[in-house]
């Protein structure tokens, strides 16, 4: 019998318990023994449920129990999630988490602490919900030098953009629909301003390039200023606007950003719809490979957490290949002078450039952000991937 504890019994924490219960026979077969939830740390008591007797209010109760070998942290937020994770690792208990905020800010510290205490710290569910992406980056693609990562990392914003594209809804109406369906929080700021996607691309870049950069230093633009007319103009050629997280190594610098970009019909990311995520990884040997699936939700995310739980319980002493250090802000590049194709909506014709005319807009080749801002005052412009 393996005894674990769950910190936070909300959407994901409750999902973990459901997955463990629903798949208990398969899990016992794979592991060779049962997994028991010994404690649930939460503010609520869950009276009248089968979990009532194992709810505790003090993390110390869990830390002091030598039978607890693993802690699943699904509390959300930075504090006290970070402090509880650190304390569990120091107490000789492995930790798994879905908490992208903690991983993005304190991941290097927690990984080092796990190593020092001969335990493990895994966070597959912190990016992409149920999509396997962390372990493939670290293990399956280990023979490649990762060149770039580009993806739709937030299902809420992707749903909103789909509502605007398919139903002609305004941003406000599409957001309201996302909230009504439970895809967006009452306060949707983290999603629509790009902060959630920014934390995720920071994590992916750390795994790919070995440097975890402070999220506040990463260029970030959400979808709140997106105009429906740009969605409609691009629909004429089957193109889509997507909120993209991107990281690429160029010499000794990392280009990293989150912003709306245009995906043409031949880009696989253009077909990623609804609350799904799509993550394109390019390796120097493999070329491009895409990871696709539900990027959020109770059971998809819980599935990824349980995967980490079983990975650790099967190999508690494994030395993980996950490692990164703190990156210096000076190593980040904003890519404002790089030449790309841009969608530009403006009245003035882009004379002197190769371009394709749309209805009141242009696809202009080989131009930089700096040039666009210096030469014109466009109503809107977005990089074409």
């Amino acid at each position: 019998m393996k005894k674990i504890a769950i910190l936070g019994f909300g959407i994901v924490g409750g999902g973990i318990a459901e997955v463990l219960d629903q798949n208990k026979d398969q899990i016992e077969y794979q592991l060779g023994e049962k997994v028991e939830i010994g404690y649930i740390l939460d503010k609520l008591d869950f009276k009248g449920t089968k979990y009532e007797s194992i709810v505790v209010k003090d993390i110390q109760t869990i830390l002091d129990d030598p039978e607890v070998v693993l802690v699943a942290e699904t509390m959300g937020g930075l504090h006290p999630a970070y402090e509880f994770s650190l304390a569990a690792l120091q107490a000789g208990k492995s930790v798994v988490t879905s908490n992208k905020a903690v991983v993005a800010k304190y991941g290097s510290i927690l990984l080092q602490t796990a190593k020092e205490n001969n335990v493990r710290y895994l966070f597959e569910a912190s990016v992409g919900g149920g999509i396997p992406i962390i372990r493939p980056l670290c293990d399956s693609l280990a023979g490649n030098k990762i060149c770039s990562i580009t993806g739709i990392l937030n299902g809420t914003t992707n749903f909103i953009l789909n509502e605007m594209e398919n139903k002609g809804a305004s941003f406000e109406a599409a957001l309201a629909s996302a909230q009504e369906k439970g895809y967006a929080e009452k306060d949707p700021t983290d999603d629509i301003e790009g902060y959630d996607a920014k934390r995720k691309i920071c994590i992916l870049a750390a795994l790919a390039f070995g440097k975890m950069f402070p999220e506040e230093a990463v260029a970030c633009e959400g979808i709140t200023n997106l105009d429906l007319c740009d969605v409609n103009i691009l629909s004429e050629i089957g193109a889509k606007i997507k909120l993209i997280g991107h990281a690429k190594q160029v010499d000794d610098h990392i280009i990293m950003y989150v912003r709306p970009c245009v995906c043409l019909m031949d880009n696989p990311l253009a077909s990623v719809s609804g609350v799904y995520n799509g993550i394109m990884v390019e390796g120097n040997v493999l070329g491009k490979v895409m990871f696709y699936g539900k990027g959020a939700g109770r059971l998809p995310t819980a599935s990824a957490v349980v995967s980490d739980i079983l990975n650790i319980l099967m190999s508690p002493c494994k030395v993980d290949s996950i490692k990164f250090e703190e990156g210096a802000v000076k190593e980040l590049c904003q890519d404002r002078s790089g030449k790309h194709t841009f969608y530009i909506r403006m009245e003035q014709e882009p004379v002197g450039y190769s371009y394709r005319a749309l209805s009141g807009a242009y696809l202009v080749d080989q131009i930089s952000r700096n040039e666009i801002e210096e030469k014109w005052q466009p109503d809107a412009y977005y990089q074409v991937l």
Side-chain angles (χ1 to χ4, degrees), residues 108-354:
S108 59
I109 296 173
L110 294 171
L111 283 169
Q112 181 60 33
T113 302
K115 182 179 179 181
E116 291 170 354
N117 289 275
N118 298 313
V119 290
R120 301 174 66 190
Y121 180 68
L122 297 181
F123 43 90
E124 181 65 66
S126 66
V127 179
I131 305 172
I133 180 64
I134 303 294
R135 199 168 298 127
L137 263 181
C138 296
D139 296 339
S140 304
L141 301 179
N144 280 256
K145 177 181 179 182
I146 303 301
C147 304
S148 67
I149 299 175
T150 306
I152 297 166
L153 303 172
N154 183 273
T156 299
T157 53
N158 204 47
F159 173 84
I160 291 171
L161 292 172
N162 277 177
E163 290 287 285
M164 296 174 71
E165 292 160 1
N166 300 331
K167 298 183 179 179
S170 66
F171 169 77
E172 291 75 16
L175 172 58
S177 177
Q179 290 174 317
E180 181 182 347
K181 295 178 183 298
Y183 298 148
E185 301 286 346
K186 184 177 181 181
D187 178 1
T189 302
D190 274 8
D191 293 324
I192 63 177
E193 294 293 354
Y195 304 148
D196 174 80
K198 182 169 62 169
R199 295 181 187 114
K200 293 173 180 176
I201 197 63
C202 283
I203 294 170
L204 293 176
L207 298 172
F209 309 124
K211 300 288 182 68
M212 176 67 82
F213 294 100
E215 61 177 275
E216 58 270 18
V218 176
C220 182
E221 177 187 346
I223 63 170
T224 53
N225 294 323
L226 189 65
D227 197 308
L228 184 58
C229 75
D230 295 309
V231 173
N232 292 334
I233 291 171
L234 285 163
S235 69
E236 297 175 10
I237 59 171
K240 310 285 187 180
I241 298 181
K242 301 290 188 181
L243 184 66
I244 296 294
H246 176 75
K248 181 178 182 179
Q249 185 157 23
V250 180
D251 299 324
D252 58 348
H253 286 81
I254 306 295
I255 295 172
M256 187 153 50
Y257 60 75
V258 170
R259 62 172 68 107
C261 294
V262 174
C263 296
L264 300 179
M265 288 181 65
D266 60 351
N267 189 321
L269 293 175
S271 63
V272 178
S273 61
V275 294
Y276 281 74
N277 284 188
I279 305 170
M280 191 86 69
V281 179
E282 183 177 4
N284 69 329
V285 178
L286 176 66
K288 292 181 179 179
V289 61
M290 183 167 164
F291 297 84
Y292 171 83
K294 286 189 176 180
R298 173 185 174 90
L299 293 182
T301 304
S303 170
V305 177
V306 171
S307 172
D308 278 346
I309 290 173
L310 294 181
N311 186 302
I312 290 175
L313 295 182
M314 289 176 181
S315 305
C317 298
K318 178 183 175 182
V319 178
D320 291 302
S321 57
I322 301 175
K323 57 182 178 180
F324 47 79
E325 59 187 34
E326 299 297 324
V329 173
K330 64 181 181 181
E331 296 176 278
L332 280 177
C333 175
Q334 300 298 332
D335 191 35
R336 296 195 60 81
S337 59
K339 302 282 188 177
H340 306 283
T341 297
F342 276 85
Y343 163 90
I344 307 176
R345 176 163 55 87
M346 61 182 180
E347 295 182 3
Q348 181 179 349
E349 181 182 355
V351 177
Y353 291 88
S354 174

Side-chain angles (χ1 to χ4, degrees), residues 7 59 62-63 68-73 81-97 102 106-123 312 316 320:
L7 311 186
I59 185 66
I62 297 170
L63 299 179
V68 174
V69 296
L70 182 147
V71 170
E73 185 275 299
Y82 163 63
E83 288 79 9
F84 288 178
S85 297
L86 183 66
L89 293 170
Q90 291 171 335
K93 305 178 191 302
S94 292
V95 174
V96 301
T97 185
V102 169
Y106 299 112
S108 59
I109 296 173
L110 294 171
L111 283 169
Q112 181 60 33
T113 302
K115 182 179 179 181
E116 291 170 354
N117 289 275
N118 298 313
V119 290
R120 301 174 66 190
Y121 180 68
L122 297 181
F123 43 90
I312 290 175
D320 291 302

